[in-house]
Amino acid sequence: MHETMNGYVTVIGGTNIDIAATLTAPFVPADSVPGQVSLGCGGVARNIAHNLQLMGHQVRLVSVFGDETFGNICWRECQEIGLDLTLSERCKDMRTGMYLCINDQTGDMIAAVADTDIVARVTPEFLEARIDDINNSSLVIADTNISAEALQYLVDNSTVPLMVDAVSTAKASRVTKALLQSQTHRLYAVKFNWQEAQAVTHCDTVESAADYLIGMGVGHVYVTMGSKGVYCSDGVHQEHFKAIPAMVANTTGAGDAFVAGVAHARLSGTTFPRCTLMGLKAAHAALLSPQTVNPDVGRYCSEVAKQQSGKSEHTSL
């Protein structure tokens, strides 16, 4: 067990049942392909929360669960791993979110479908009823499974730093919509992958995409680029960190682990942009595990913390 940091981290967004199919033969369209199918608890917010809990933090998960078999499974597992669900809700008339992905023989995703309609229950009114507890946190993290209106409410009413994970190209625009419609036009940090950043900014380079987001009011921008590493900027400092080579077992959950790693580093006092190193290590741990959340991620991040005083390998841009 790791030493718990001061204060809660509150994570807001989706909880899903994940159904993952990993092929053991080459993919053939419109045909049945041999492979292995697994079922487990997931969801971007839930995965971030789980990673942070394994890193030694007290974590509140603000999410919604169906009151059916899958919802019962997810609720019970979240409790068993130590997440605080007092701000979450069970919805009797809706089913728990589901995420279905197909991975190739190397663990890379071929396609995925996310059925997260239940997260629409996380409305501005839902959040307003919990805002005092949310603001009694060291950090708030939200995913874009919640609506642009709910994100806008958080942007305008969070009195503690707010980080947002863009989730997907279909939902990433909720970040910019929330910023444009907010009263403050300020957001502590965002994480996009390169596809999401392109979809939102229509920029041709990662540098210009980051500048675009900073111009909208984002304080810290992290753009993950798979094997090409991570670009981050706060408008003054820009860094390109190399990816850590990995024998990939599964790519699902790596982005969630990255967000948790960055948050862990910031809560531990690491300054920008060096907190990116912790995000990279957490993502690397996720890639090595067949599970969406590597149960050993806390140990991986502890090793990085011990090395923080040493020289890091990165390239300045």
Side-chain angles (χ1 to χ4, degrees):
M1 178 65 67
H2 308 287
E3 183 179 352
T4 301
M5 309 297 171
N6 292 329
Y8 273 89
V9 182
T10 298
V11 187
I12 304 168
T15 297
N16 304 329
I17 279 287
D18 285 352
I19 302 173
T22 301
L23 306 184
T24 55
F27 176 70
V28 180
D31 195 9
S32 176
V33 181
Q36 296 177 335
V37 179
S38 64
L39 184 146
C41 293
V44 172
R46 194 220 70 91
N47 292 343
I48 294 170
H50 191 177
N51 277 286
L52 283 165
Q53 192 277 333
L54 290 170
M55 294 172 191
H57 298 274
Q58 292 180 303
V59 187
R60 290 192 187 99
L61 177 62
V62 183
S63 191
V64 281
F65 300 73
D67 193 21
E68 25 66 286
T69 300
F70 286 158
N72 292 336
I73 291 171
C74 288
W75 185 274
R76 184 168 60 250
E77 181 175 302
C78 287
Q79 288 183 319
E80 288 174 351
I81 64 177
L83 299 180
D84 183 336
L85 299 181
T86 55
L87 302 184
S88 291
E89 184 175 295
R90 306 187 79 169
C91 305
K92 293 184 178 181
D93 57 341
M94 297 193 75
R95 67 176 183 272
T96 300
M98 297 186 70
Y99 175 81
L100 170 66
C101 68
I102 301 175
N103 303 320
D104 67 16
Q105 294 161 282
T106 69
D108 279 334
M109 183 194 300
I110 296 172
V113 178
D115 177 359
T116 58
D117 289 351
I118 190 173
V119 190
R121 290 294 187 94
V122 181
T123 62
E125 293 75 21
F126 179 100
L127 294 170
E128 184 178 14
R130 295 160 171 80
I131 194 62
D132 289 343
D133 288 318
I134 290 170
N135 283 332
N136 187 26
S137 308
S138 299
L139 178 70
V140 178
I141 304 172
D143 72 33
T144 60
N145 285 305
I146 68 174
S147 68
E149 292 74 22
L151 277 176
Q152 178 191 335
Y153 178 84
L154 289 173
V155 170
D156 284 338
N157 292 280
S158 292
T159 58
V160 294
L162 171 65
M163 296 180 64
V164 177
D165 187 322
V167 175
S168 68
T169 55
K171 298 175 180 177
S173 62
R174 296 178 184 181
V175 177
T176 50
K177 184 177 179 181
L179 277 169
L180 284 170
Q181 296 182 349
S182 73
Q183 297 176 3
T184 61
H185 307 291
R186 296 298 303 169
L187 181 59
Y188 174 69
V190 295
K191 191 279 290 182
F192 288 80
N193 67 29
W194 176 224
Q195 285 180 307
E196 294 159 358
Q198 281 183 303
V200 166
T201 67
H202 307 290
C203 292
D204 295 329
T205 67
V206 66
E207 296 89 349
S208 57
D211 288 344
Y212 179 97
L213 292 165
I214 288 168
M216 291 195 70
V218 179
H220 300 89
V221 175
Y222 301 88
V223 183
T224 59
M225 299 179 289
S227 62
K228 294 182 180 179
V230 177
Y231 177 84
C232 58
S233 175
D234 65 356
V236 178
H237 306 95
Q238 300 82 30
E239 299 282 350
H240 183 191
F241 291 82
K242 297 178 181 179
I244 303 171
M247 293 293 292
V248 177
N250 170 38
T251 58
T252 302
D256 309 335
F258 176 85
V259 172
V262 170
H264 173 66
R266 295 295 288 150
L267 290 164
S268 302
T270 305
T271 57
F272 183 88
R274 287 178 61 85
C275 51
T276 310
L277 293 168
M278 192 75 79
L280 277 167
K281 191 64 176 180
H284 180 252
L287 292 171
L288 297 177
S289 174
Q291 300 169 259
T292 302
V293 175
N294 189 329
D296 290 327
V297 67
R299 176 175 60 82
Y300 279 85
C301 290
S302 293
E303 291 172 359
V304 176
K306 294 176 183 178
Q307 298 167 3
Q308 282 293 304
S309 59
K311 184 178 180 181
S312 62
E313 182 183 3
H314 64 272
T315 303
S316 297
L317 294 182

